[in-house]
Amino acid sequence: MRKTNLEKPEISFVPVDAKNAHTYITVGIQSYTEHYLHLWENSDPTPFIREFLTIEVLLKELKRPDSFFYIIYNASQEVGILNFTLDKVNPYFPDTETLLLNKLYLIRSAANKGIGSTSLEFTETFARTYAKQVVWLYTMKKGKPKEFYRANGYKTIAEAEITLARVLKEEKAMWVMAKVL
């Protein structure tokens, strides 16, 4: 079932299942490597890909009722991936219903075209549908994503750090950001 944004009908969010899982992985790896190689020793993101972007990991995660995965399309072109989790406990909002935005990755050619903001709107609408009061996420301290989230109403609430092996020490720092809906 294709979910289309009514205000921007060319942008749509297709739920991931076993039939299109390979597309999600392919687009996820492409978008991740186009933006995040600088984080890794020898520009090798293998630890991240093994942890989050393999077909085995995805098929296992698809069985979880609290996890949602989408391929983002602009017209008929795959341009990104979106993944969020309901009910992930957030220590900064302990008594609040939350949604954790795990991944919003766009291929380089889709950046700065409103697709990211539309994807956040889709995520926030989804959260409201499930009576979630806060959307939260992790983002790198360095780089453009933090500014993108700030421009879309997200506030910095804490510091964090990537814990995967082979991330460059100077690139480990992250922000925890959140938006109260």
Side-chain angles (χ1 to χ4, degrees):
M1 170 177 57
R2 185 174 284 253
K3 305 228 179 192
T4 301
N5 182 300
L6 298 176
E7 293 178 21
K8 297 183 181 183
E10 69 278 5
I11 301 171
S12 59
F13 304 89
V14 176
V16 176
D17 59 26
K19 293 178 197 159
N20 64 2
H22 284 286
T23 301
Y24 178 94
I25 295 298
T26 301
V27 175
I29 291 171
Q30 177 185 348
S31 57
Y32 188 84
T33 57
E34 286 180 351
H35 297 283
Y36 293 108
L37 291 182
H38 67 280
L39 302 177
W40 300 94
E41 293 175 4
N42 302 315
S43 298
D44 180 7
T46 300
F48 183 89
I49 291 168
R50 281 190 187 140
E51 183 79 17
F52 300 109
L53 290 172
T54 67
I55 197 70
E56 295 80 16
V57 169
L58 178 58
L59 292 176
K60 181 180 174 187
E61 289 294 311
L62 285 172
K63 294 177 183 174
R64 294 181 48 183
D66 63 340
S67 292
F68 298 84
F69 296 82
Y70 295 90
I71 302 166
I72 305 168
Y73 284 83
N74 187 12
S76 61
Q77 177 68 41
E78 301 100 353
V79 295
I81 64 170
L82 179 64
N83 164 234
F84 44 80
T85 306
L86 297 176
D87 305 320
K88 191 79 170 183
V89 175
N90 181 315
Y92 308 100
F93 296 95
D95 299 319
T96 305
E97 292 287 322
T98 66
L99 179 148
L100 171 61
L101 175 57
N102 298 306
K103 291 176 191 62
L104 170 51
Y105 298 153
L106 299 176
I107 62 173
R108 188 175 306 264
S109 64
N112 301 310
K113 295 184 178 175
I115 298 168
S117 295
T118 299
S119 298
L120 283 180
E121 291 168 15
F122 176 83
T123 302
E124 293 163 9
T125 299
F126 189 98
R128 287 184 192 96
T129 300
Y130 282 84
K132 304 303 172 190
Q133 298 148 322
V134 173
V135 174
W136 64 289
L137 57 93
Y138 296 94
T139 192
M140 305 312 301
K141 275 192 176 182
K142 297 179 181 179
K144 295 179 183 177
K146 70 180 182 304
E147 298 307 323
F148 163 74
Y149 291 116
R150 283 187 184 133
N152 281 279
Y154 287 74
K155 308 264 188 258
T156 301
I157 59 171
E159 294 183 63
E161 189 173 276
I162 295 177
T163 57
L164 292 172
R166 299 193 350 225
V167 174
L168 297 170
K169 183 176 181 174
E170 64 271 16
E171 299 292 347
K172 288 183 175 251
M174 300 183 82
W175 292 119
V176 180
M177 300 184 80
K179 181 176 183 178
V180 177
L181 302 177

